[in-house]
């Protein structure tokens, strides 16, 4: 079963790009898969603790960020085609300790 939500792509700005299809690895058993079909996008996250599926939609208050529906306050952002950032918006500034996932 795939859950998809409406996603309007935001042009490259503020150091981000539109979400890219792919599997991203966050270390250990942590993975995020992003699937984009037309104007819809889906998030699937998995770790040793379990997995979750959610639709994604642009964050209306932060350009280049996408809300993970059903995850209170969590967003994803993509600074380049190889990296996906995941977490609370205020924590997703480039620097040490940012939850980064890398394309596999």
């Amino acid at each position: 079963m795939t859950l998809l939500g409406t996603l309007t792509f935001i042009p490259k700005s503020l150091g981000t790009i539109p979400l890219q299809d792919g599997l991203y690895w966050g270390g250990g058993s942590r993975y995020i898969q992003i699937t984009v079909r037309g104007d819809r996008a889906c998030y699937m996250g998995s770790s040793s603790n379990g997995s979750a599926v959610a639709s994604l939609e642009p964050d209306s208050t932060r350009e280049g960020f996408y809300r993970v529906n059903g995850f209170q306050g969590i967003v994803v952002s993509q600074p380049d085609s190889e990296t996906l950032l995941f977490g609370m918006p205020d924590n997703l500034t480039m620097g040490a300790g940012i939850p980064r996932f890398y394309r596999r």
Side-chain angles (χ1 to χ4, degrees), residues 62 65 71-76 86-93 98-99:
R62 293 174 182 87
F65 288 79
F71 288 64
Q72 185 80 22
I74 300 294
V75 297
V76 296
F86 174 85
M88 298 297 286
D90 294 338
N91 296 337
L92 297 187
T93 57
I98 304 299

Side-chain angles (χ1 to χ4, degrees), residues 1-3 5 7 9 12 17 22 27 33-34 43-44 52-53 74 76 78 83 85 88 91 98 103-104:
M1 176 186 213
T2 303
L3 300 175
L7 173 70
F9 289 110
K12 185 174 181 177
I17 63 172
Q33 181 173 349
I34 300 294
Y43 159 95
M44 186 174 111
V53 176
I74 300 294
V76 296
Q78 192 151 20
T83 309
L85 306 179
M88 298 297 286
N91 296 337
I98 304 299
R103 185 180 293 278
R104 295 294 277 186

